[in-house]
Amino acid sequence: MSSPGTYLAAFLCGGILCLIGQILIDKTKLTPARILVLYVVAGVVLGATGLYRPLVDLCGAGATVPLTGFGYNLATGVSKGVAESGFLGALMGGITSTAGGITAAVFFGSVVAVLFKSKPKP
């Protein structure tokens, strides 16, 4: 069972990542889409260099659920794929390690699209 400190670390880590994103939206001319890409790329770079792993160990889901965690999983999968399959693993590893998250996003997105109708802005 997790301790209250683990929950607090996850909450703070996720909150800080969201705070940084909100500051980028408010204080720069970056679009939300570019900020999302920036977060994924930052997760890949930090994951590939080994700098993101301590944050994952400390914060758990607070570090793995945001988009930086998706980038981290891509980098980890590529690293593992290269170790197992060489160059072909570099192409397959990232998708293999993130397949569950991608599948969930497509599935739940489809369910929401079927259940709700979008309305044009006035």
XYZ file of all heavy atoms in Angstrom:
853
model
N 0.843 -1.176 0.000
C 0.000 0.000 0.000
C 0.890 1.243 0.000
O 1.918 1.273 0.655
C -0.920 -0.013 1.213
C -1.834 1.179 1.257
S -3.116 0.995 2.495
C -4.462 0.551 1.449
N 0.485 2.250 -0.713
C 1.258 3.482 -0.826
C 1.054 4.363 0.400
O -0.004 4.380 1.007
C 0.842 4.244 -2.073
O 1.120 3.487 -3.213
N 2.097 5.099 0.705
C 2.016 6.011 1.844
C 1.432 7.345 1.394
O 1.446 7.673 0.210
C 3.400 6.218 2.431
O 4.190 6.979 1.542
N 0.944 8.151 2.341
C 0.433 9.484 1.984
C 1.505 10.346 1.308
O 1.200 11.192 0.472
C 0.007 10.076 3.322
C -0.276 8.891 4.186
C 0.688 7.829 3.746
N 2.777 10.123 1.645
C 3.862 10.868 1.016
C 3.968 10.590 -0.476
O 4.300 11.482 -1.262
N 3.673 9.352 -0.870
C 3.702 8.992 -2.282
C 2.614 9.739 -3.041
O 2.846 10.253 -4.137
C 3.515 7.466 -2.457
O 4.509 6.789 -1.696
C 3.614 7.065 -3.905
N 1.436 9.809 -2.444
C 0.337 10.535 -3.078
C 0.649 12.021 -3.186
O 0.365 12.658 -4.186
C -0.968 10.336 -2.303
C -1.491 8.927 -2.351
C -1.649 8.187 -1.183
C -1.816 8.332 -3.562
C -2.133 6.888 -1.226
C -2.302 7.031 -3.612
C -2.446 6.320 -2.445
O -2.912 5.046 -2.492
N 1.253 12.567 -2.144
C 1.610 13.982 -2.150
C 2.663 14.272 -3.223
O 2.553 15.254 -3.959
C 2.121 14.409 -0.767
C 2.533 15.870 -0.629
C 1.333 16.787 -0.874
C 3.121 16.122 0.747
N 3.670 13.397 -3.335
C 4.709 13.582 -4.354
C 4.108 13.512 -5.749
O 4.448 14.321 -6.627
C 5.805 12.524 -4.186
N 3.206 12.564 -5.981
C 2.559 12.437 -7.290
C 1.724 13.680 -7.591
O 1.772 14.219 -8.709
C 1.684 11.190 -7.334
N 0.978 14.146 -6.609
C 0.140 15.332 -6.790
C 0.984 16.558 -7.103
O 0.687 17.331 -8.015
C -0.699 15.561 -5.528
C -1.527 16.804 -5.569
C -2.711 16.831 -6.288
C -1.122 17.940 -4.893
C -3.479 17.990 -6.335
C -1.884 19.099 -4.932
C -3.074 19.121 -5.659
N 2.052 16.750 -6.356
C 2.913 17.917 -6.556
C 3.622 17.861 -7.907
O 3.712 18.874 -8.606
C 3.922 18.045 -5.418
C 3.354 18.454 -4.067
C 4.436 18.422 -2.989
C 2.711 19.826 -4.139
N 4.128 16.703 -8.275
C 4.832 16.561 -9.556
C 3.887 16.840 -10.720
O 4.206 17.634 -11.614
C 5.417 15.164 -9.669
S 6.299 14.874 -11.214
N 2.731 16.204 -10.721
C 1.746 16.440 -11.780
C 1.289 17.885 -11.794
O 1.138 18.499 -12.859
N 1.101 18.463 -10.621
C 0.677 19.856 -10.523
C 1.725 20.816 -11.056
O 1.410 21.792 -11.743
N 2.981 20.544 -10.755
C 4.061 21.409 -11.244
C 4.166 21.317 -12.762
O 4.355 22.334 -13.446
C 5.390 21.057 -10.551
C 5.331 21.507 -9.092
C 6.578 21.691 -11.275
C 6.473 20.999 -8.231
N 4.033 20.114 -13.312
C 4.061 19.976 -14.774
C 2.903 20.742 -15.422
O 3.082 21.403 -16.452
C 4.019 18.497 -15.168
C 5.300 17.716 -14.896
C 5.072 16.223 -15.100
C 6.435 18.208 -15.761
N 1.735 20.687 -14.803
C 0.592 21.451 -15.316
C 0.806 22.951 -15.160
O 0.460 23.731 -16.053
C -0.692 21.036 -14.601
S -1.240 19.380 -15.012
N 1.382 23.356 -14.051
C 1.673 24.770 -13.814
C 2.631 25.315 -14.878
O 2.410 26.403 -15.420
C 2.270 24.960 -12.421
C 2.746 26.374 -12.072
C 1.543 27.312 -11.939
C 3.551 26.349 -10.785
N 3.668 24.553 -15.188
C 4.611 24.975 -16.220
C 3.900 25.125 -17.562
O 4.103 26.109 -18.279
C 5.792 23.988 -16.320
C 6.640 24.047 -15.045
C 6.655 24.279 -17.553
C 7.633 22.909 -14.917
N 3.047 24.165 -17.889
C 2.281 24.256 -19.133
C 1.384 25.480 -19.164
O 1.295 26.177 -20.179
N 0.717 25.776 -18.054
C -0.164 26.940 -17.997
C 0.624 28.236 -18.123
O 0.192 29.174 -18.804
C -0.975 26.944 -16.703
C -2.065 27.986 -16.685
C -3.113 27.751 -17.758
O -3.636 26.656 -17.897
N -3.418 28.776 -18.535
N 1.782 28.298 -17.496
C 2.635 29.483 -17.630
C 3.075 29.657 -19.083
O 3.081 30.781 -19.606
C 3.844 29.399 -16.672
C 3.367 29.558 -15.224
C 4.897 30.457 -17.025
C 4.429 29.255 -14.184
N 3.435 28.565 -19.744
C 3.827 28.645 -21.151
C 2.673 29.149 -22.020
O 2.879 29.935 -22.942
C 4.321 27.283 -21.649
C 5.676 26.828 -21.112
C 5.952 25.382 -21.527
C 6.781 27.749 -21.582
N 1.454 28.710 -21.719
C 0.289 29.175 -22.475
C 0.057 30.665 -22.232
O -0.178 31.427 -23.172
C -0.973 28.368 -22.098
C -0.884 26.952 -22.652
C -2.241 29.048 -22.619
C -1.971 26.012 -22.155
N 0.137 31.082 -20.977
C -0.179 32.465 -20.612
C 0.906 33.469 -20.996
O 0.599 34.591 -21.372
C -0.439 32.582 -19.107
C -1.711 31.881 -18.670
O -2.547 31.573 -19.540
O -1.860 31.629 -17.461
N 2.162 33.079 -20.894
C 3.256 34.037 -21.030
C 4.016 33.970 -22.354
O 4.892 34.791 -22.592
C 4.264 33.852 -19.881
C 3.662 34.031 -18.508
C 3.224 35.462 -18.295
C 2.697 35.633 -16.871
N 2.136 36.946 -16.646
N 3.726 32.988 -23.201
C 4.419 32.885 -24.485
C 3.388 32.854 -25.607
O 2.182 32.781 -25.357
C 5.276 31.602 -24.568
O 4.419 30.457 -24.600
C 6.235 31.499 -23.388
N 3.873 32.899 -26.803
C 2.995 32.802 -27.964
C 2.894 31.362 -28.475
O 2.371 31.120 -29.555
C 3.495 33.718 -29.081
C 3.387 35.195 -28.724
C 3.740 36.061 -29.901
C 3.730 37.518 -29.530
N 2.432 38.125 -29.515
N 3.390 30.409 -27.680
C 3.309 29.002 -28.074
C 1.854 28.536 -28.039
O 1.112 28.853 -27.107
C 4.131 28.130 -27.122
C 5.649 28.270 -27.186
C 6.292 27.479 -26.064
C 6.165 27.796 -28.529
N 1.469 27.779 -29.040
C 0.125 27.212 -29.062
C 0.093 25.986 -28.145
O 1.134 25.376 -27.880
C -0.272 26.792 -30.490
O 0.623 25.756 -30.926
C -0.223 27.973 -31.451
N -1.086 25.612 -27.668
C -1.172 24.409 -26.841
C -0.609 23.169 -27.535
O 0.027 22.334 -26.885
C -2.676 24.271 -26.565
C -3.174 25.684 -26.578
C -2.368 26.348 -27.673
N -0.816 23.050 -28.839
C -0.290 21.885 -29.560
C 1.238 21.855 -29.506
O 1.842 20.795 -29.317
C -0.769 21.906 -31.008
N 1.869 22.998 -29.641
C 3.340 23.046 -29.582
C 3.841 22.746 -28.175
O 4.885 22.130 -28.004
C 3.840 24.394 -30.066
C 3.658 24.540 -31.547
C 4.194 25.830 -32.076
N 3.867 25.896 -33.495
C 4.491 26.640 -34.357
N 5.476 27.407 -33.968
N 4.130 26.631 -35.621
N 3.094 23.169 -27.187
C 3.477 22.873 -25.808
C 3.365 21.375 -25.549
O 4.228 20.776 -24.895
C 2.631 23.694 -24.813
C 2.961 25.183 -24.969
C 2.860 23.237 -23.377
C 2.030 26.117 -24.249
N 2.324 20.736 -26.080
C 2.182 19.286 -25.933
C 3.361 18.564 -26.567
O 3.923 17.624 -25.996
C 0.863 18.818 -26.550
C -0.414 19.332 -25.890
C -1.639 18.858 -26.658
C -0.485 18.909 -24.452
N 3.743 18.996 -27.763
C 4.893 18.387 -28.444
C 6.163 18.632 -27.632
O 7.000 17.732 -27.482
C 5.032 18.930 -29.887
C 6.347 18.495 -30.508
C 3.858 18.469 -30.737
N 6.315 19.834 -27.096
C 7.468 20.160 -26.263
C 7.542 19.229 -25.051
O 8.620 18.732 -24.707
C 7.378 21.619 -25.804
C 8.476 22.113 -24.875
C 9.796 22.206 -25.617
C 8.100 23.467 -24.294
N 6.417 18.961 -24.427
C 6.390 18.059 -23.275
C 6.797 16.637 -23.663
O 7.557 15.990 -22.950
C 4.996 18.050 -22.642
C 4.832 19.048 -21.521
C 5.296 20.346 -21.628
C 4.192 18.691 -20.346
C 5.144 21.256 -20.599
C 4.032 19.595 -19.311
C 4.517 20.874 -19.446
O 4.373 21.765 -18.425
N 6.292 16.140 -24.775
C 6.651 14.780 -25.206
C 8.141 14.708 -25.526
O 8.839 13.782 -25.099
C 5.793 14.328 -26.412
C 6.296 12.996 -26.961
C 4.331 14.202 -26.010
N 8.645 15.698 -26.264
C 10.065 15.705 -26.613
C 10.929 15.828 -25.360
O 11.961 15.157 -25.241
C 10.368 16.827 -27.631
C 11.861 17.000 -27.844
C 9.677 16.536 -28.956
N 10.520 16.662 -24.416
C 11.263 16.786 -23.161
C 11.294 15.443 -22.427
O 12.338 15.051 -21.885
C 10.638 17.856 -22.270
N 10.181 14.725 -22.425
C 10.144 13.409 -21.794
C 11.062 12.420 -22.482
O 11.743 11.624 -21.831
N 11.125 12.482 -23.816
C 12.025 11.595 -24.569
C 13.475 11.911 -24.231
O 14.270 11.012 -23.941
C 11.775 11.722 -26.091
C 12.878 11.032 -26.880
C 10.423 11.141 -26.469
N 13.830 13.189 -24.273
C 15.219 13.590 -24.011
C 15.620 13.255 -22.575
O 16.685 12.670 -22.334
C 15.412 15.094 -24.313
C 16.773 15.576 -23.842
C 15.239 15.365 -25.801
N 14.756 13.610 -21.621
C 15.066 13.314 -20.222
C 15.092 11.811 -19.956
O 15.892 11.334 -19.149
C 14.075 14.013 -19.299
C 14.159 15.540 -19.267
C 12.989 16.122 -18.470
C 15.483 16.002 -18.703
N 14.223 11.069 -20.627
C 14.224 9.614 -20.475
C 15.446 8.972 -21.094
O 16.048 8.058 -20.518
N 15.854 9.445 -22.261
C 17.015 8.885 -22.946
C 18.313 9.165 -22.190
O 19.241 8.355 -22.228
C 17.099 9.439 -24.365
N 18.372 10.284 -21.501
C 19.577 10.632 -20.746
C 19.571 10.069 -19.326
O 20.551 10.207 -18.600
C 19.748 12.165 -20.672
O 18.590 12.740 -20.059
C 19.964 12.762 -22.044
N 18.467 9.455 -18.933
C 18.376 8.858 -17.600
C 17.994 9.844 -16.508
O 17.987 9.484 -15.332
N 17.658 11.067 -16.880
C 17.318 12.076 -15.883
C 15.872 11.989 -15.405
O 15.537 12.519 -14.341
C 17.583 13.478 -16.449
C 19.040 13.789 -16.788
C 19.144 15.137 -17.483
C 19.887 13.761 -15.530
N 15.007 11.328 -16.168
C 13.587 11.263 -15.798
C 13.295 10.102 -14.850
O 12.334 10.133 -14.094
C 12.724 11.159 -17.059
C 11.310 11.650 -16.869
C 11.031 12.997 -16.789
C 10.244 10.759 -16.762
C 9.738 13.466 -16.615
C 8.952 11.213 -16.590
C 8.704 12.560 -16.517
O 7.421 13.024 -16.338
N 14.127 9.069 -14.873
C 13.892 7.879 -14.050
C 13.799 8.192 -12.552
O 12.912 7.677 -11.869
C 14.974 6.835 -14.319
C 14.780 5.551 -13.560
C 13.656 4.771 -14.154
N 13.080 3.887 -13.161
C 11.974 3.230 -13.329
N 11.316 3.323 -14.457
N 11.499 2.454 -12.407
N 14.696 9.023 -11.995
C 14.552 9.342 -10.560
C 13.225 10.028 -10.234
O 12.653 9.796 -9.170
C 15.739 10.275 -10.278
C 16.725 9.973 -11.348
C 15.933 9.573 -12.549
N 12.733 10.851 -11.157
C 11.440 11.509 -10.945
C 10.312 10.480 -10.949
O 9.394 10.556 -10.133
C 11.218 12.562 -12.035
C 10.064 13.524 -11.836
C 10.277 14.358 -10.575
C 9.928 14.427 -13.041
N 10.393 9.506 -11.839
C 9.394 8.433 -11.881
C 9.441 7.621 -10.593
O 8.402 7.278 -10.021
C 9.617 7.527 -13.118
C 8.763 6.277 -13.047
C 9.336 8.296 -14.396
N 10.654 7.326 -10.119
C 10.788 6.562 -8.881
C 10.224 7.320 -7.683
O 9.618 6.728 -6.797
C 12.259 6.221 -8.625
C 12.809 5.232 -9.639
O 12.009 4.528 -10.291
O 14.047 5.177 -9.783
N 10.407 8.625 -7.663
C 9.934 9.439 -6.543
C 8.439 9.724 -6.621
O 7.726 9.611 -5.628
C 10.700 10.765 -6.501
C 10.259 11.764 -5.433
C 10.570 11.227 -4.039
C 10.933 13.100 -5.652
N 7.951 10.061 -7.811
C 6.582 10.579 -7.957
C 5.586 9.592 -8.554
O 4.394 9.877 -8.568
C 6.598 11.841 -8.811
S 7.602 13.142 -8.097
N 6.036 8.487 -9.078
C 5.123 7.498 -9.643
C 4.243 8.069 -10.738
O 4.726 8.643 -11.710
N 2.936 7.942 -10.558
C 1.977 8.375 -11.582
C 2.020 9.875 -11.830
O 1.652 10.328 -12.910
C 0.565 7.964 -11.193
N 2.486 10.651 -10.878
C 2.615 12.088 -11.084
C 3.607 12.420 -12.178
O 3.547 13.479 -12.785
N 4.527 11.495 -12.454
C 5.518 11.691 -13.509
C 5.207 10.872 -14.756
O 5.626 11.239 -15.848
C 6.905 11.329 -12.994
N 4.485 9.763 -14.623
C 4.258 8.899 -15.789
C 2.968 9.200 -16.535
O 2.861 8.879 -17.708
C 4.254 7.405 -15.382
O 3.246 7.187 -14.399
C 5.606 6.975 -14.856
N 1.990 9.795 -15.877
C 0.709 10.059 -16.538
C 0.748 11.273 -17.470
O 0.201 11.213 -18.564
C -0.431 10.175 -15.494
C -1.716 10.663 -16.124
C -0.654 8.828 -14.814
N 1.410 12.379 -17.097
C 1.456 13.526 -18.023
C 2.200 13.191 -19.313
O 2.831 12.143 -19.433
C 2.201 14.600 -17.226
C 2.058 14.207 -15.807
C 2.010 12.711 -15.807
N 2.159 14.093 -20.267
C 2.787 13.845 -21.563
C 4.290 13.634 -21.482
O 4.857 12.936 -22.315
C 2.480 14.992 -22.524
C 1.083 14.926 -23.119
C 0.777 16.194 -23.897
C 0.920 13.719 -23.999
N 4.948 14.205 -20.494
C 6.368 13.932 -20.338
C 6.591 12.451 -20.044
O 7.577 11.873 -20.483
C 6.961 14.787 -19.206
O 6.141 14.656 -18.048
C 7.066 16.245 -19.607
N 5.668 11.843 -19.336
C 5.737 10.404 -19.070
C 5.566 9.587 -20.332
O 6.184 8.525 -20.489
N 4.722 10.058 -21.258
C 4.568 9.376 -22.542
C 5.890 9.411 -23.302
O 6.333 8.392 -23.850
C 3.458 10.043 -23.359
C 3.203 9.394 -24.689
C 2.537 8.193 -24.772
C 3.644 9.997 -25.856
C 2.301 7.586 -25.998
C 3.414 9.407 -27.088
C 2.741 8.199 -27.154
N 6.539 10.566 -23.319
C 7.845 10.669 -23.968
C 8.877 9.787 -23.299
O 9.694 9.141 -23.957
N 8.836 9.737 -21.976
C 9.745 8.868 -21.222
C 9.523 7.406 -21.601
O 10.479 6.663 -21.817
C 9.526 9.080 -19.717
C 10.116 8.015 -18.846
C 11.480 7.959 -18.625
C 9.308 7.061 -18.240
C 12.037 6.974 -17.825
C 9.844 6.082 -17.441
C 11.214 6.034 -17.235
O 11.749 5.054 -16.443
N 8.263 6.989 -21.704
C 7.970 5.608 -22.104
C 8.445 5.317 -23.518
O 8.899 4.207 -23.807
C 6.473 5.314 -21.979
C 6.058 5.065 -20.554
O 6.866 4.672 -19.729
N 4.799 5.315 -20.252
N 8.323 6.290 -24.426
C 8.844 6.111 -25.779
C 10.349 5.869 -25.746
O 10.853 4.937 -26.385
C 8.549 7.340 -26.642
C 7.144 7.503 -27.178
C 6.986 8.869 -27.832
C 6.814 6.411 -28.178
N 11.077 6.704 -25.011
C 12.536 6.568 -24.937
C 12.936 5.238 -24.300
O 13.859 4.563 -24.777
C 13.134 7.729 -24.150
N 12.238 4.853 -23.245
C 12.534 3.587 -22.579
C 12.278 2.408 -23.516
O 13.071 1.474 -23.584
C 11.679 3.447 -21.305
O 11.919 4.576 -20.467
C 12.009 2.178 -20.552
N 11.166 2.463 -24.254
C 10.840 1.396 -25.192
C 11.845 1.292 -26.325
O 12.231 0.189 -26.732
N 12.283 2.428 -26.843
C 13.283 2.415 -27.914
C 14.590 1.828 -27.399
O 15.213 0.999 -28.064
C 13.494 3.834 -28.482
C 14.726 3.892 -29.368
C 12.262 4.272 -29.266
N 14.996 2.248 -26.210
C 16.231 1.730 -25.621
C 16.165 0.212 -25.447
O 17.101 -0.516 -25.802
C 16.479 2.403 -24.280
O 17.600 1.874 -23.648
N 15.052 -0.258 -24.935
C 14.872 -1.703 -24.741
C 14.794 -2.420 -26.087
O 15.381 -3.492 -26.262
C 13.587 -1.949 -23.940
C 13.342 -3.380 -23.583
C 12.083 -3.517 -22.734
C 11.775 -4.961 -22.444
N 10.530 -5.112 -21.707
N 14.095 -1.830 -27.055
C 13.975 -2.434 -28.380
C 15.311 -2.544 -29.086
O 15.600 -3.554 -29.744
N 16.147 -1.517 -28.967
C 17.474 -1.557 -29.585
C 18.320 -2.651 -28.942
O 19.029 -3.376 -29.636
C 18.164 -0.179 -29.480
C 19.631 -0.264 -29.837
C 17.471 0.831 -30.374
N 18.238 -2.787 -27.627
C 18.995 -3.822 -26.931
C 18.567 -5.223 -27.360
O 19.397 -6.131 -27.465
C 18.838 -3.666 -25.420
N 17.278 -5.390 -27.666
C 16.761 -6.706 -28.026
C 16.854 -7.002 -29.520
O 17.124 -8.131 -29.911
C 15.300 -6.843 -27.579
C 15.126 -6.869 -26.085
C 13.665 -6.878 -25.668
O 12.777 -6.822 -26.540
O 13.406 -6.917 -24.458
N 16.590 -5.988 -30.371
C 16.442 -6.256 -31.805
C 17.319 -5.387 -32.701
O 17.153 -5.405 -33.911
C 14.983 -6.045 -32.218
O 14.120 -6.826 -31.432
N 18.175 -4.584 -32.141
C 19.027 -3.729 -32.957
C 18.242 -2.593 -33.586
O 17.331 -2.031 -32.984
N 18.602 -2.255 -34.835
C 18.003 -1.116 -35.515
C 16.489 -1.245 -35.628
O 15.765 -0.276 -35.453
C 18.618 -0.942 -36.905
C 18.008 0.191 -37.680
C 18.294 1.504 -37.339
C 17.129 -0.050 -38.720
C 17.727 2.562 -38.035
C 16.558 0.997 -39.427
C 16.866 2.304 -39.088
N 15.993 -2.438 -35.921
C 14.548 -2.639 -36.033
C 13.851 -2.339 -34.707
O 12.742 -1.815 -34.686
C 14.244 -4.061 -36.496
C 12.815 -4.355 -36.915
C 12.381 -3.423 -38.046
C 12.671 -5.792 -37.351
N 14.512 -2.614 -33.597
C 13.963 -2.303 -32.279
C 13.802 -0.816 -32.061
O 12.911 -0.382 -31.331
N 14.655 -0.006 -32.704
C 14.522 1.446 -32.600
C 13.224 1.909 -33.226
O 12.635 2.897 -32.805
C 15.709 2.134 -33.277
N 12.772 1.201 -34.238
C 11.524 1.562 -34.907
C 10.298 1.019 -34.183
O 9.241 1.640 -34.192
C 11.534 1.051 -36.352
C 12.679 1.561 -37.234
C 12.648 0.872 -38.583
C 12.608 3.060 -37.387
N 10.431 -0.140 -33.555
C 9.277 -0.791 -32.930
C 9.159 -0.562 -31.430
O 8.068 -0.597 -30.883
C 9.354 -2.308 -33.158
C 9.281 -2.723 -34.592
S 9.287 -4.514 -34.856
C 10.190 -5.182 -33.521
N 10.263 -0.323 -30.748
C 10.274 -0.282 -29.282
C 9.373 0.765 -28.675
O 8.671 0.498 -27.703
N 9.390 1.975 -29.234
C 8.577 3.051 -28.670
C 7.093 2.771 -28.767
O 6.340 2.990 -27.815
N 6.673 2.274 -29.912
C 5.246 1.973 -30.100
C 4.823 0.800 -29.228
O 3.742 0.804 -28.638
C 4.940 1.689 -31.592
C 5.266 2.915 -32.442
C 3.508 1.250 -31.788
C 4.476 4.162 -32.079
N 5.700 -0.201 -29.113
C 5.381 -1.354 -28.277
C 5.192 -0.938 -26.819
O 4.247 -1.375 -26.160
C 6.501 -2.406 -28.382
O 6.643 -2.789 -29.750
C 6.195 -3.628 -27.546
N 6.058 -0.056 -26.326
C 5.971 0.328 -24.911
C 4.798 1.254 -24.621
O 4.359 1.353 -23.483
C 7.272 0.985 -24.457
O 7.435 2.243 -25.061
N 4.280 1.938 -25.624
C 3.174 2.872 -25.405
C 1.855 2.379 -25.992
O 0.868 3.112 -25.985
C 3.506 4.249 -26.003
O 3.771 4.098 -27.393
C 4.702 4.880 -25.305
N 1.825 1.146 -26.468
C 0.630 0.626 -27.141
C -0.613 0.665 -26.259
O -1.705 0.994 -26.727
C 0.884 -0.793 -27.636
N -0.474 0.358 -24.989
C -1.632 0.373 -24.086
C -2.236 1.761 -23.962
O -3.457 1.928 -24.030
N -1.395 2.766 -23.785
C -1.882 4.142 -23.670
C -2.512 4.643 -24.962
O -3.538 5.319 -24.946
N -1.891 4.299 -26.087
C -2.438 4.708 -27.386
C -3.790 4.043 -27.615
O -4.754 4.686 -28.048
C -1.450 4.372 -28.522
C -0.185 5.232 -28.387
C -2.097 4.573 -29.888
C 0.948 4.804 -29.293
N -3.881 2.765 -27.304
C -5.133 2.032 -27.476
C -6.234 2.621 -26.603
O -7.372 2.811 -27.053
C -4.934 0.541 -27.142
O -3.921 0.017 -27.995
C -6.211 -0.250 -27.318
N -5.907 2.922 -25.352
C -6.903 3.513 -24.447
C -7.376 4.867 -24.961
O -8.571 5.171 -24.928
C -6.322 3.649 -23.042
N -6.453 5.681 -25.460
C -6.826 7.002 -25.971
C -7.757 6.889 -27.176
O -8.765 7.601 -27.268
C -5.575 7.795 -26.349
N -7.446 5.983 -28.087
C -8.299 5.801 -29.269
C -9.661 5.247 -28.856
O -10.706 5.722 -29.314
C -7.619 4.877 -30.305
C -8.575 4.473 -31.411
C -6.383 5.556 -30.886
N -9.671 4.253 -27.974
C -10.929 3.637 -27.547
C -11.828 4.640 -26.835
O -12.997 4.818 -27.197
C -10.657 2.435 -26.640
C -11.909 1.843 -26.051
C -12.752 1.063 -26.828
C -12.270 2.090 -24.736
C -13.931 0.530 -26.301
C -13.425 1.568 -24.189
C -14.249 0.779 -24.981
N -11.302 5.309 -25.818
C -12.135 6.232 -25.051
C -12.519 7.463 -25.874
O -13.612 8.003 -25.723
C -11.460 6.620 -23.741
C -11.413 5.483 -22.756
C -10.210 4.927 -22.367
C -12.586 4.950 -22.242
C -10.172 3.867 -21.474
C -12.566 3.892 -21.353
C -11.353 3.347 -20.971
N -11.637 7.892 -26.753
C -11.988 8.987 -27.667
C -13.142 8.612 -28.566
O -14.049 9.409 -28.821
N -13.130 7.376 -29.070
C -14.219 6.894 -29.921
C -15.528 6.791 -29.145
O -16.594 7.168 -29.644
C -13.865 5.522 -30.511
O -12.707 5.602 -31.288
N -15.464 6.285 -27.908
C -16.665 6.163 -27.085
C -17.267 7.543 -26.821
O -18.483 7.740 -26.959
C -16.351 5.435 -25.756
C -17.498 5.566 -24.766
C -16.031 3.979 -26.015
N -16.437 8.503 -26.465
C -16.929 9.850 -26.193
C -17.512 10.477 -27.456
O -18.548 11.145 -27.411
C -15.806 10.729 -25.588
C -16.196 12.190 -25.549
C -15.461 10.234 -24.190
N -16.873 10.245 -28.601
C -17.378 10.793 -29.864
C -18.749 10.223 -30.213
O -19.601 10.924 -30.769
C -16.397 10.506 -30.996
N -18.993 8.963 -29.864
C -20.285 8.344 -30.148
C -21.347 8.836 -29.160
O -22.493 9.070 -29.541
C -20.162 6.799 -30.095
C -21.521 6.123 -30.099
C -19.325 6.295 -31.260
N -20.988 9.015 -27.913
C -21.963 9.367 -26.883
C -22.365 10.843 -26.880
O -23.476 11.175 -26.483
C -21.416 8.999 -25.498
C -21.224 7.511 -25.224
C -20.632 7.305 -23.844
C -22.536 6.751 -25.357
N -21.475 11.715 -27.310
C -21.751 13.148 -27.214
C -21.661 13.807 -28.580
O -20.870 13.418 -29.415
C -20.770 13.826 -26.255
C -20.826 13.269 -24.864
C -19.916 12.323 -24.445
C -21.797 13.687 -23.974
C -19.966 11.797 -23.166
C -21.861 13.181 -22.693
C -20.953 12.222 -22.283
N -22.495 14.812 -28.779
C -22.463 15.573 -30.021
C -21.764 16.894 -29.766
O -22.043 17.578 -28.796
C -23.878 15.842 -30.534
C -24.591 14.607 -31.005
C -25.787 15.023 -31.831
C -26.495 13.795 -32.341
N -26.075 13.431 -33.653
N -20.874 17.254 -30.679
C -20.216 18.545 -30.535
C -21.150 19.646 -31.016
O -21.995 19.434 -31.871
C -18.910 18.577 -31.319
O -19.180 18.431 -32.695
N -20.994 20.794 -30.424
C -21.814 21.931 -30.800
C -20.909 23.027 -31.315
O -19.845 23.280 -30.749
C -22.608 22.436 -29.591
C -23.583 21.402 -29.057
C -24.268 21.909 -27.814
C -25.146 20.790 -27.264
N -25.670 21.102 -25.961
N -21.340 23.713 -32.370
C -20.496 24.807 -32.873
C -20.501 25.959 -31.868
O -21.451 26.178 -31.138
C -21.179 25.214 -34.190
C -22.561 24.682 -34.085
C -22.527 23.491 -33.181
N -19.383 26.683 -31.853
C -19.299 27.843 -30.970
C -20.186 28.954 -31.520
O -20.274 29.153 -32.726
C -17.855 28.330 -30.882
C -16.962 27.363 -30.134
C -15.577 27.944 -29.981
C -14.708 26.999 -29.192
N -13.375 27.537 -29.015
N -20.836 29.680 -30.619
C -21.729 30.759 -31.103
C -20.959 31.933 -31.685
O -19.858 32.185 -31.456
C -22.471 31.198 -29.844
C -21.751 30.613 -28.688
C -20.879 29.523 -29.201
